[in-house]
Amino acid sequence: MTNRFEVATRETDDLGDWRLTRRHVFIGTGLATIAGALAVAFGGAPDAWGGLADAEPPVRLGDPVPDRAITLLDGSTVRLRDGEPRLLNFWATWCPPCRAEIPEIDHYARARGPDGLRVLAVNLAEDVVTIERYLRPLGVSFSVGLDPERSLAANFGVAGLPTSYAIDRAGVIRRAHAGPMSRATIESLIAVIL
């Protein structure tokens, strides 16, 4: 005779039939999005990326962005406060939601570029070869920045990927979004800065 605990233990120890379903992915993505949104809303965790506790306090909605130069994938630099409305996106090639939203971001970079929108997708701590290998076949039109030390992500209080910010012409953060973006989400972000 077995008790309930023994039966439950046997069932949970057998992982041979475990499968990642869409429901698991949906729930996991939802939880990550909620955690990221809470982090953005409450200022994030400066040491969320490990060892960055001495970084500046993270910026918040309504704050000006740090006036710093970002090195781009092609070796040039761009300043965050350059007088142009900007969609700033933090991402990585290993992040499935990041990969999924790249075509949508590129669509808006092309469609709204003539209106003055500039997109800067900042990659977190990956090497140039990995980033280029991933992006080359996609032919993206937006600028790709590098954050090898994750210091810019710490300045923004990024707690999860992807995370995006709408920055107006004055360099002030007007909106933030944690998690993957749909076209509707991107539209709502850029509506306040164009």
Side-chain angles (χ1 to χ4, degrees), residues 36 39-60 65-66 68-71 80 88-92 94 98 120-126 145-165 167 173 176-178:
V40 169
F42 294 106
D47 61 351
W49 295 102
L52 295 176
D54 295 332
E56 298 174 29
V59 293
R60 299 174 187 260
V65 296
R68 59 184 279 189
I70 306 301
T71 301
L80 284 179
L88 176 64
N89 175 263
F90 290 94
W91 73 287
W94 50 261
C98 301
L120 175 58
V122 176
N123 180 276
L124 277 122
E126 291 185 283
L146 305 174
D147 192 11
E149 303 297 322
R150 301 178 183 129
S151 60
L152 185 62
N155 286 153
F156 278 83
V158 173
L161 297 178
T163 300
S164 301
Y165 298 88
I167 302 166
I173 302 170
H177 179 80

CSV table of all heavy atoms in Angstrom, one decimal, residues 36 39-60 65-66 68-71 80 88-92 94 98 120-126 145-165 167 173 176-178:
chain,number,residue,atom,x,y,z
A,36,GLY,N,9.0,42.0,-15.3
A,36,GLY,CA,9.7,43.2,-15.9
A,36,GLY,C,8.9,44.5,-15.8
A,36,GLY,O,9.5,45.5,-15.5
A,39,ALA,N,9.3,45.8,-12.4
A,39,ALA,CA,10.6,46.3,-12.2
A,39,ALA,C,10.8,47.7,-12.8
A,39,ALA,O,11.3,48.6,-12.3
A,39,ALA,CB,11.7,45.4,-12.8
A,40,VAL,N,10.2,47.9,-14.0
A,40,VAL,CA,10.2,49.2,-14.7
A,40,VAL,C,9.4,50.2,-13.9
A,40,VAL,O,9.8,51.3,-13.7
A,40,VAL,CB,9.7,49.1,-16.2
A,40,VAL,CG1,9.5,50.4,-16.8
A,40,VAL,CG2,10.7,48.3,-17.0
A,41,ALA,N,8.2,49.8,-13.5
A,41,ALA,CA,7.4,50.7,-12.7
A,41,ALA,C,8.0,51.2,-11.4
A,41,ALA,O,7.8,52.3,-11.0
A,41,ALA,CB,6.0,50.0,-12.5
A,42,PHE,N,8.7,50.3,-10.8
A,42,PHE,CA,9.3,50.6,-9.5
A,42,PHE,C,10.8,50.9,-9.5
A,42,PHE,O,11.5,50.8,-8.5
A,42,PHE,CB,9.0,49.5,-8.4
A,42,PHE,CG,7.5,49.4,-8.1
A,42,PHE,CD1,6.8,48.4,-8.6
A,42,PHE,CD2,6.9,50.4,-7.4
A,42,PHE,CE1,5.4,48.3,-8.4
A,42,PHE,CE2,5.5,50.3,-7.2
A,42,PHE,CZ,4.8,49.3,-7.7
A,43,GLY,N,11.3,51.2,-10.7
A,43,GLY,CA,12.7,51.6,-10.8
A,43,GLY,C,13.7,50.5,-11.1
A,43,GLY,O,14.8,50.8,-11.2
A,44,GLY,N,13.2,49.3,-11.2
A,44,GLY,CA,14.2,48.2,-11.5
A,44,GLY,C,15.1,47.9,-10.3
A,44,GLY,O,15.0,48.4,-9.3
A,45,ALA,N,16.0,47.0,-10.6
A,45,ALA,CA,17.0,46.6,-9.7
A,45,ALA,C,18.4,46.9,-10.3
A,45,ALA,O,18.8,46.2,-11.2
A,45,ALA,CB,16.9,45.1,-9.3
A,46,PRO,N,19.1,47.8,-9.7
A,46,PRO,CA,20.4,48.2,-10.3
A,46,PRO,C,21.4,47.0,-10.4
A,46,PRO,O,22.2,47.0,-11.3
A,46,PRO,CB,21.0,49.2,-9.3
A,46,PRO,CG,19.9,49.7,-8.5
A,46,PRO,CD,18.8,48.6,-8.5
A,47,ASP,N,21.3,46.0,-9.6
A,47,ASP,CA,22.2,44.8,-9.7
A,47,ASP,C,21.5,43.6,-10.3
A,47,ASP,O,22.0,42.5,-10.2
A,47,ASP,CB,22.8,44.5,-8.3
A,47,ASP,CG,21.7,44.1,-7.3
A,47,ASP,OD1,20.5,44.2,-7.6
A,47,ASP,OD2,22.1,43.6,-6.2
A,48,ALA,N,20.4,43.9,-11.1
A,48,ALA,CA,19.7,42.8,-11.7
A,48,ALA,C,20.6,42.0,-12.7
A,48,ALA,O,20.3,40.8,-12.9
A,48,ALA,CB,18.5,43.3,-12.4
A,49,TRP,N,21.6,42.6,-13.2
A,49,TRP,CA,22.5,41.9,-14.2
A,49,TRP,C,23.8,41.4,-13.5
A,49,TRP,O,24.7,41.1,-14.1
A,49,TRP,CB,22.8,42.8,-15.3
A,49,TRP,CG,21.6,43.1,-16.1
A,49,TRP,CD1,20.8,44.2,-16.0
A,49,TRP,CD2,20.9,42.2,-17.0
A,49,TRP,NE1,19.7,44.1,-16.8
A,49,TRP,CE2,19.7,42.9,-17.4
A,49,TRP,CE3,21.1,40.9,-17.4
A,49,TRP,CZ2,18.8,42.3,-18.3
A,49,TRP,CZ3,20.2,40.4,-18.3
A,49,TRP,CH2,19.1,41.0,-18.7
A,50,GLY,N,23.8,41.4,-12.2
A,50,GLY,CA,24.9,40.9,-11.4
A,50,GLY,C,26.1,41.8,-11.3
A,50,GLY,O,26.7,42.2,-12.2
A,51,GLY,N,26.3,42.3,-10.1
A,51,GLY,CA,27.5,43.1,-9.8
A,51,GLY,C,27.4,44.5,-10.2
A,51,GLY,O,28.4,45.2,-10.2
A,52,LEU,N,26.3,45.0,-10.5
A,52,LEU,CA,26.2,46.4,-11.0
A,52,LEU,C,25.6,47.3,-9.9
A,52,LEU,O,25.0,48.3,-10.2
A,52,LEU,CB,25.4,46.5,-12.3
A,52,LEU,CG,26.0,45.9,-13.5
A,52,LEU,CD1,25.1,46.0,-14.7
A,52,LEU,CD2,27.3,46.5,-13.8
A,53,ALA,N,25.6,46.9,-8.6
A,53,ALA,CA,25.0,47.6,-7.5
A,53,ALA,C,25.6,49.0,-7.4
A,53,ALA,O,24.9,49.9,-6.9
A,53,ALA,CB,25.2,46.8,-6.2
A,54,ASP,N,26.8,49.3,-7.9
A,54,ASP,CA,27.4,50.6,-7.8
A,54,ASP,C,27.0,51.5,-8.9
A,54,ASP,O,27.4,52.7,-9.0
A,54,ASP,CB,28.9,50.5,-7.7
A,54,ASP,CG,29.4,49.8,-6.4
A,54,ASP,OD1,28.6,49.9,-5.4
A,54,ASP,OD2,30.4,49.2,-6.5
A,55,ALA,N,26.2,51.0,-9.9
A,55,ALA,CA,25.7,51.8,-11.0
A,55,ALA,C,24.8,53.0,-10.5
A,55,ALA,O,24.3,52.9,-9.4
A,55,ALA,CB,25.0,51.0,-12.0
A,56,GLU,N,24.7,54.0,-11.4
A,56,GLU,CA,23.8,55.1,-11.1
A,56,GLU,C,22.4,54.5,-10.8
A,56,GLU,O,22.0,53.5,-11.4
A,56,GLU,CB,23.7,56.0,-12.3
A,56,GLU,CG,24.9,56.7,-12.7
A,56,GLU,CD,24.8,57.5,-13.9
A,56,GLU,OE1,23.7,58.0,-14.2
A,56,GLU,OE2,25.8,57.6,-14.7
A,57,PRO,N,21.6,55.2,-10.0
A,57,PRO,CA,20.2,54.7,-9.9
A,57,PRO,C,19.5,54.7,-11.2
A,57,PRO,O,19.7,55.6,-12.1
A,57,PRO,CB,19.5,55.8,-9.0
A,57,PRO,CG,20.7,56.5,-8.4
A,57,PRO,CD,21.8,56.4,-9.3
A,58,PRO,N,18.6,53.8,-11.5
A,58,PRO,CA,17.9,53.7,-12.8
A,58,PRO,C,17.0,54.9,-13.0
A,58,PRO,O,16.5,55.5,-12.1
A,58,PRO,CB,17.1,52.4,-12.7
A,58,PRO,CG,17.2,51.9,-11.3
A,58,PRO,CD,18.2,52.7,-10.6
A,59,VAL,N,17.0,55.3,-14.3
A,59,VAL,CA,16.1,56.3,-14.7
A,59,VAL,C,14.6,55.8,-14.6
A,59,VAL,O,14.4,54.7,-14.7
A,59,VAL,CB,16.4,56.8,-16.1
A,59,VAL,CG1,17.7,57.5,-16.2
A,59,VAL,CG2,16.3,55.7,-17.2
A,60,ARG,N,13.7,56.8,-14.5
A,60,ARG,CA,12.3,56.5,-14.5
A,60,ARG,C,11.5,57.3,-15.5
A,60,ARG,O,12.1,58.2,-16.1
A,60,ARG,CB,11.7,56.8,-13.1
A,60,ARG,CG,12.4,56.1,-11.9
A,60,ARG,CD,11.9,56.6,-10.6
A,60,ARG,NE,12.6,56.1,-9.5
A,60,ARG,CZ,12.2,55.1,-8.8
A,60,ARG,NH1,11.0,54.5,-9.0
A,60,ARG,NH2,12.9,54.6,-7.8
A,65,VAL,N,17.1,60.8,-20.3
A,65,VAL,CA,18.0,59.6,-20.4
A,65,VAL,C,19.4,60.1,-20.1
A,65,VAL,O,19.8,61.2,-20.2
A,65,VAL,CB,17.9,59.0,-21.9
A,65,VAL,CG1,16.6,58.5,-22.1
A,65,VAL,CG2,18.3,60.0,-22.9
A,66,PRO,N,20.3,59.1,-19.8
A,66,PRO,CA,21.7,59.5,-19.5
A,66,PRO,C,22.3,60.0,-20.9
A,66,PRO,O,22.0,59.5,-21.9
A,66,PRO,CB,22.4,58.1,-19.2
A,66,PRO,CG,21.3,57.2,-18.8
A,66,PRO,CD,20.0,57.7,-19.5
A,68,ARG,N,24.9,59.9,-22.9
A,68,ARG,CA,26.1,59.1,-23.1
A,68,ARG,C,26.1,58.6,-24.6
A,68,ARG,O,25.1,58.5,-25.2
A,68,ARG,CB,26.2,58.0,-22.1
A,68,ARG,CG,25.1,57.0,-22.1
A,68,ARG,CD,25.3,55.9,-21.1
A,68,ARG,NE,26.2,54.9,-21.5
A,68,ARG,CZ,26.4,53.8,-20.8
A,68,ARG,NH1,25.7,53.6,-19.7
A,68,ARG,NH2,27.2,52.8,-21.2
A,69,ALA,N,27.3,58.3,-25.0
A,69,ALA,CA,27.5,57.7,-26.4
A,69,ALA,C,27.4,56.2,-26.3
A,69,ALA,O,27.9,55.6,-25.4
A,69,ALA,CB,28.8,58.1,-26.9
A,70,ILE,N,26.7,55.7,-27.3
A,70,ILE,CA,26.5,54.2,-27.5
A,70,ILE,C,27.3,53.8,-28.7
A,70,ILE,O,27.1,54.3,-29.8
A,70,ILE,CB,25.0,53.8,-27.6
A,70,ILE,CG1,24.2,54.4,-26.5
A,70,ILE,CG2,24.9,52.3,-27.7
A,70,ILE,CD1,24.6,54.0,-25.1
A,71,THR,N,28.1,52.8,-28.6
A,71,THR,CA,28.8,52.2,-29.7
A,71,THR,C,27.9,51.3,-30.5
A,71,THR,O,27.2,50.5,-29.9
A,71,THR,CB,30.1,51.4,-29.3
A,71,THR,OG1,30.9,52.3,-28.5
A,71,THR,CG2,30.8,50.9,-30.5
A,80,LEU,N,22.4,59.2,-26.9
A,80,LEU,CA,21.0,59.0,-26.6
A,80,LEU,C,20.2,60.3,-26.6
A,80,LEU,O,19.0,60.3,-27.0
A,80,LEU,CB,20.9,58.4,-25.2
A,80,LEU,CG,21.2,56.9,-25.1
A,80,LEU,CD1,21.0,56.4,-23.7
A,80,LEU,CD2,20.3,56.1,-26.0
A,88,LEU,N,14.0,52.9,-27.9
A,88,LEU,CA,15.2,52.2,-27.4
A,88,LEU,C,14.7,50.8,-26.9
A,88,LEU,O,13.8,50.7,-26.1
A,88,LEU,CB,15.8,53.0,-26.2
A,88,LEU,CG,16.9,52.4,-25.5
A,88,LEU,CD1,18.2,52.3,-26.4
A,88,LEU,CD2,17.3,53.2,-24.3
A,89,ASN,N,15.4,49.8,-27.5
A,89,ASN,CA,15.0,48.4,-27.2
A,89,ASN,C,16.2,47.6,-26.7
A,89,ASN,O,17.3,47.7,-27.3
A,89,ASN,CB,14.4,47.8,-28.5
A,89,ASN,CG,14.1,46.3,-28.3
A,89,ASN,OD1,14.9,45.5,-28.7
A,89,ASN,ND2,12.9,46.0,-27.8
A,90,PHE,N,16.1,47.0,-25.6
A,90,PHE,CA,17.1,46.1,-25.1
A,90,PHE,C,16.8,44.7,-25.4
A,90,PHE,O,15.6,44.2,-25.2
A,90,PHE,CB,17.3,46.2,-23.5
A,90,PHE,CG,17.8,47.6,-23.1
A,90,PHE,CD1,17.0,48.6,-22.8
A,90,PHE,CD2,19.2,47.8,-23.1
A,90,PHE,CE1,17.5,49.8,-22.4
A,90,PHE,CE2,19.7,49.0,-22.7
A,90,PHE,CZ,18.9,50.0,-22.3
A,91,TRP,N,17.7,43.9,-26.0
A,91,TRP,CA,17.5,42.6,-26.5
A,91,TRP,C,18.7,41.7,-26.5
A,91,TRP,O,19.8,42.2,-26.2
A,91,TRP,CB,16.9,42.7,-28.0
A,91,TRP,CG,18.0,43.1,-28.9
A,91,TRP,CD1,18.6,44.4,-29.1
A,91,TRP,CD2,18.6,42.3,-29.9
A,91,TRP,NE1,19.5,44.3,-30.1
A,91,TRP,CE2,19.6,43.1,-30.6
A,91,TRP,CE3,18.5,40.9,-30.2
A,91,TRP,CZ2,20.4,42.5,-31.6
A,91,TRP,CZ3,19.3,40.4,-31.2
A,91,TRP,CH2,20.3,41.2,-31.9
A,92,ALA,N,18.6,40.5,-26.9
A,92,ALA,CA,19.7,39.5,-27.1
A,92,ALA,C,19.3,38.5,-28.1
A,92,ALA,O,18.1,38.2,-28.2
A,92,ALA,CB,20.0,38.9,-25.7
A,94,TRP,N,19.7,35.3,-27.9
A,94,TRP,CA,19.3,34.1,-27.2
A,94,TRP,C,17.9,34.2,-26.7
A,94,TRP,O,17.3,33.2,-26.1
A,94,TRP,CB,20.2,33.7,-26.1
A,94,TRP,CG,20.6,34.8,-25.2
A,94,TRP,CD1,21.7,35.6,-25.2
A,94,TRP,CD2,19.8,35.3,-24.1
A,94,TRP,NE1,21.6,36.5,-24.2
A,94,TRP,CE2,20.5,36.3,-23.5
A,94,TRP,CE3,18.5,34.9,-23.6
A,94,TRP,CZ2,20.0,37.1,-22.4
A,94,TRP,CZ3,18.0,35.6,-22.5
A,94,TRP,CH2,18.8,36.7,-21.9
A,98,CYS,N,12.6,38.4,-27.9
A,98,CYS,CA,13.3,39.5,-28.6
A,98,CYS,C,13.4,39.2,-30.1
A,98,CYS,O,13.1,40.1,-30.9
A,98,CYS,CB,14.7,39.6,-28.0
A,98,CYS,SG,14.9,39.9,-26.3
A,120,LEU,N,16.9,52.3,-31.8
A,120,LEU,CA,18.2,51.8,-31.4
A,120,LEU,C,17.9,50.6,-30.6
A,120,LEU,O,17.3,50.6,-29.5
A,120,LEU,CB,18.9,52.9,-30.5
A,120,LEU,CG,20.2,52.5,-29.8
A,120,LEU,CD1,21.2,52.0,-30.9
A,120,LEU,CD2,20.8,53.6,-29.0
A,121,ALA,N,18.3,49.4,-31.1
A,121,ALA,CA,18.2,48.2,-30.4
A,121,ALA,C,19.5,47.8,-29.8
A,121,ALA,O,20.5,47.6,-30.5
A,121,ALA,CB,17.8,47.1,-31.4
A,122,VAL,N,19.6,47.9,-28.5
A,122,VAL,CA,20.8,47.7,-27.7
A,122,VAL,C,21.0,46.2,-27.3
A,122,VAL,O,20.1,45.7,-26.5
A,122,VAL,CB,20.9,48.6,-26.5
A,122,VAL,CG1,22.2,48.3,-25.7
A,122,VAL,CG2,20.9,50.1,-27.0
A,123,ASN,N,22.0,45.6,-27.8
A,123,ASN,CA,22.2,44.2,-27.5
A,123,ASN,C,23.0,44.1,-26.2
A,123,ASN,O,24.0,44.8,-25.9
A,123,ASN,CB,23.0,43.5,-28.6
A,123,ASN,CG,23.3,42.0,-28.3
A,123,ASN,OD1,24.2,41.7,-27.6
A,123,ASN,ND2,22.4,41.1,-28.8
A,124,LEU,N,22.6,43.1,-25.3
A,124,LEU,CA,23.2,43.0,-24.0
A,124,LEU,C,24.3,41.9,-24.0
A,124,LEU,O,24.0,40.7,-24.1
A,124,LEU,CB,22.2,42.6,-23.0
A,124,LEU,CG,21.5,43.9,-22.5
A,124,LEU,CD1,20.0,43.9,-22.7
A,124,LEU,CD2,21.9,44.1,-21.1
A,125,ALA,N,25.5,42.3,-23.9
A,125,ALA,CA,26.7,41.5,-23.6
A,125,ALA,C,27.0,40.3,-24.5
A,125,ALA,O,27.6,39.4,-24.1
A,125,ALA,CB,26.5,41.0,-22.2
A,126,GLU,N,26.6,40.5,-25.8
A,126,GLU,CA,27.0,39.5,-26.8
A,126,GLU,C,28.1,40.0,-27.7
A,126,GLU,O,28.2,41.2,-27.9
A,126,GLU,CB,25.8,39.0,-27.6
A,126,GLU,CG,24.7,38.3,-26.8
A,126,GLU,CD,23.6,37.8,-27.6
A,126,GLU,OE1,22.7,38.6,-28.0
A,126,GLU,OE2,23.6,36.5,-27.9
A,145,GLY,N,23.0,48.9,-31.1
A,145,GLY,CA,24.0,49.3,-30.1
A,145,GLY,C,24.5,48.1,-29.3
A,145,GLY,O,23.9,47.1,-29.3
A,146,LEU,N,25.7,48.4,-28.7
A,146,LEU,CA,26.3,47.3,-27.9
A,146,LEU,C,26.4,47.8,-26.5
A,146,LEU,O,26.7,48.9,-26.2
A,146,LEU,CB,27.7,47.1,-28.5
A,146,LEU,CG,27.9,46.8,-29.9
A,146,LEU,CD1,29.3,46.7,-30.4
A,146,LEU,CD2,27.1,45.5,-30.3
A,147,ASP,N,26.1,46.9,-25.6
A,147,ASP,CA,26.2,47.1,-24.1
A,147,ASP,C,26.9,46.0,-23.5
A,147,ASP,O,26.4,45.1,-22.8
A,147,ASP,CB,24.8,47.3,-23.5
A,147,ASP,CG,24.8,47.8,-22.1
A,147,ASP,OD1,25.9,48.3,-21.6
A,147,ASP,OD2,23.7,47.8,-21.5
A,148,PRO,N,28.3,45.8,-23.8
A,148,PRO,CA,29.0,44.7,-23.4
A,148,PRO,C,29.1,44.5,-21.9
A,148,PRO,O,29.2,43.4,-21.4
A,148,PRO,CB,30.4,44.9,-24.0
A,148,PRO,CG,30.5,46.3,-24.2
A,148,PRO,CD,29.1,46.8,-24.5
A,149,GLU,N,29.1,45.6,-21.1
A,149,GLU,CA,29.2,45.5,-19.7
A,149,GLU,C,27.8,45.6,-19.0
A,149,GLU,O,27.7,45.7,-17.8
A,149,GLU,CB,30.1,46.7,-19.2
A,149,GLU,CG,31.5,46.7,-19.8
A,149,GLU,CD,32.2,45.4,-19.4
A,149,GLU,OE1,32.1,44.9,-18.3
A,149,GLU,OE2,33.0,44.9,-20.3
A,150,ARG,N,26.8,45.7,-19.8
A,150,ARG,CA,25.4,45.9,-19.3
A,150,ARG,C,25.2,47.1,-18.5
A,150,ARG,O,24.2,47.2,-17.7
A,150,ARG,CB,25.0,44.6,-18.5
A,150,ARG,CG,25.1,43.4,-19.3
A,150,ARG,CD,24.7,42.2,-18.4
A,150,ARG,NE,24.9,40.9,-19.1
A,150,ARG,CZ,25.5,39.9,-18.7
A,150,ARG,NH1,26.1,40.0,-17.5
A,150,ARG,NH2,25.6,38.8,-19.4
A,151,SER,N,26.0,48.1,-18.6
A,151,SER,CA,25.9,49.3,-17.8
A,151,SER,C,24.7,50.2,-18.3
A,151,SER,O,24.1,50.8,-17.4
A,151,SER,CB,27.2,50.1,-17.9
A,151,SER,OG,27.5,50.5,-19.2
A,152,LEU,N,24.4,50.2,-19.6
A,152,LEU,CA,23.3,51.0,-20.0
A,152,LEU,C,22.0,50.4,-19.5
A,152,LEU,O,21.1,51.0,-19.1
A,152,LEU,CB,23.3,51.2,-21.5
A,152,LEU,CG,22.2,52.0,-22.1
A,152,LEU,CD1,22.3,53.5,-21.6
A,152,LEU,CD2,22.2,52.0,-23.6
A,153,ALA,N,21.9,49.0,-19.6
A,153,ALA,CA,20.8,48.3,-19.1
A,153,ALA,C,20.6,48.6,-17.6
A,153,ALA,O,19.5,48.8,-17.1
A,153,ALA,CB,20.9,46.8,-19.3
A,154,ALA,N,21.7,48.7,-16.8
A,154,ALA,CA,21.6,49.0,-15.4
A,154,ALA,C,21.1,50.4,-15.2
A,154,ALA,O,20.3,50.7,-14.3
A,154,ALA,CB,23.0,48.8,-14.7
A,155,ASN,N,21.6,51.4,-16.1
A,155,ASN,CA,21.1,52.8,-16.0
A,155,ASN,C,19.6,52.9,-16.2
A,155,ASN,O,18.9,53.7,-15.6
A,155,ASN,CB,21.7,53.7,-17.1
A,155,ASN,CG,23.2,54.0,-16.8
A,155,ASN,OD1,23.9,54.3,-17.7
A,155,ASN,ND2,23.6,54.0,-15.5
A,156,PHE,N,19.0,52.0,-17.0
A,156,PHE,CA,17.6,52.0,-17.3
A,156,PHE,C,16.8,51.0,-16.4
A,156,PHE,O,15.6,51.0,-16.4
A,156,PHE,CB,17.3,51.6,-18.7
A,156,PHE,CG,17.5,52.8,-19.7
A,156,PHE,CD1,18.7,53.2,-20.1
A,156,PHE,CD2,16.4,53.5,-20.0
A,156,PHE,CE1,18.9,54.3,-21.0
A,156,PHE,CE2,16.5,54.6,-20.9
A,156,PHE,CZ,17.8,55.0,-21.3
A,157,GLY,N,17.5,50.3,-15.5
A,157,GLY,CA,16.8,49.4,-14.6
A,157,GLY,C,16.2,48.2,-15.3
A,157,GLY,O,15.2,47.7,-14.8
A,158,VAL,N,16.8,47.8,-16.4
A,158,VAL,CA,16.3,46.7,-17.2
A,158,VAL,C,16.4,45.4,-16.3
A,158,VAL,O,17.5,45.0,-15.9
A,158,VAL,CB,17.0,46.5,-18.5
A,158,VAL,CG1,16.6,45.2,-19.2
A,158,VAL,CG2,16.8,47.7,-19.4
A,159,ALA,N,15.2,44.8,-16.1
A,159,ALA,CA,15.2,43.6,-15.3
A,159,ALA,C,14.9,42.3,-16.1
A,159,ALA,O,15.0,41.2,-15.6
A,159,ALA,CB,14.1,43.7,-14.2
A,160,GLY,N,14.6,42.5,-17.3
A,160,GLY,CA,14.3,41.3,-18.2
A,160,GLY,C,14.3,41.8,-19.6
A,160,GLY,O,14.2,43.0,-19.9
A,161,LEU,N,14.4,40.8,-20.5
A,161,LEU,CA,14.4,41.1,-22.0
A,161,LEU,C,13.2,40.5,-22.7
A,161,LEU,O,12.7,39.5,-22.2
A,161,LEU,CB,15.6,40.5,-22.6
A,161,LEU,CG,17.0,41.1,-22.1
A,161,LEU,CD1,18.1,40.4,-22.8
A,161,LEU,CD2,17.0,42.6,-22.3
A,162,PRO,N,12.7,41.2,-23.7
A,162,PRO,CA,13.0,42.5,-24.1
A,162,PRO,C,12.4,43.6,-23.3
A,162,PRO,O,11.4,43.4,-22.6
A,162,PRO,CB,12.5,42.6,-25.5
A,162,PRO,CG,11.3,41.6,-25.5
A,162,PRO,CD,11.7,40.6,-24.5
A,163,THR,N,13.0,44.8,-23.3
A,163,THR,CA,12.4,46.0,-22.6
A,163,THR,C,12.7,47.1,-23.5
A,163,THR,O,13.7,47.3,-24.1
A,163,THR,CB,13.1,46.2,-21.2
A,163,THR,OG1,12.9,45.1,-20.4
A,163,THR,CG2,12.5,47.4,-20.5
A,164,SER,N,11.6,48.0,-23.7
A,164,SER,CA,11.7,49.1,-24.6
A,164,SER,C,11.3,50.4,-24.0
A,164,SER,O,10.4,50.4,-23.0
A,164,SER,CB,10.8,48.8,-25.8
A,164,SER,OG,11.2,47.6,-26.5
A,165,TYR,N,11.8,51.5,-24.5
A,165,TYR,CA,11.5,52.8,-24.0
A,165,TYR,C,11.2,53.8,-25.1
A,165,TYR,O,11.9,53.7,-26.2
A,165,TYR,CB,12.7,53.4,-23.2
A,165,TYR,CG,13.0,52.5,-22.0
A,165,TYR,CD1,13.9,51.5,-22.0
A,165,TYR,CD2,12.4,52.8,-20.7
A,165,TYR,CE1,14.1,50.7,-20.9
A,165,TYR,CE2,12.7,52.1,-19.6
A,165,TYR,CZ,13.6,51.0,-19.7
A,165,TYR,OH,13.8,50.2,-18.6
A,167,ILE,N,11.5,57.6,-26.1
A,167,ILE,CA,12.2,58.8,-25.7
A,167,ILE,C,11.9,59.9,-26.6
A,167,ILE,O,12.0,59.8,-27.9
A,167,ILE,CB,13.8,58.5,-25.7
A,167,ILE,CG1,14.1,57.3,-24.8
A,167,ILE,CG2,14.6,59.7,-25.3
A,167,ILE,CD1,15.5,56.7,-24.9
A,173,ILE,N,12.2,60.2,-21.1
A,173,ILE,CA,11.5,58.9,-21.3
A,173,ILE,C,10.0,59.1,-21.1
A,173,ILE,O,9.6,59.6,-20.0
A,173,ILE,CB,12.0,57.9,-20.2
A,173,ILE,CG1,13.5,57.6,-20.4
A,173,ILE,CG2,11.2,56.5,-20.4
A,173,ILE,CD1,14.1,56.8,-19.3
A,176,ALA,N,7.5,53.2,-21.2
A,176,ALA,CA,8.3,52.0,-21.1
A,176,ALA,C,7.4,50.8,-21.3
A,176,ALA,O,6.2,50.8,-21.0
A,176,ALA,CB,9.0,52.0,-19.8
A,177,HIS,N,8.0,49.7,-21.8
A,177,HIS,CA,7.3,48.5,-22.0
A,177,HIS,C,8.3,47.3,-21.7
A,177,HIS,O,9.3,47.2,-22.3
A,177,HIS,CB,6.7,48.3,-23.4
A,177,HIS,CG,6.0,47.1,-23.6
A,177,HIS,ND1,4.7,46.9,-23.1
A,177,HIS,CD2,6.4,45.9,-24.2
A,177,HIS,CE1,4.3,45.6,-23.4
A,177,HIS,NE2,5.3,45.0,-24.0
A,178,ALA,N,7.9,46.4,-20.8
A,178,ALA,CA,8.7,45.2,-20.5
A,178,ALA,C,8.0,44.1,-21.1
A,178,ALA,O,6.8,43.9,-21.0
A,178,ALA,CB,8.8,45.0,-19.0
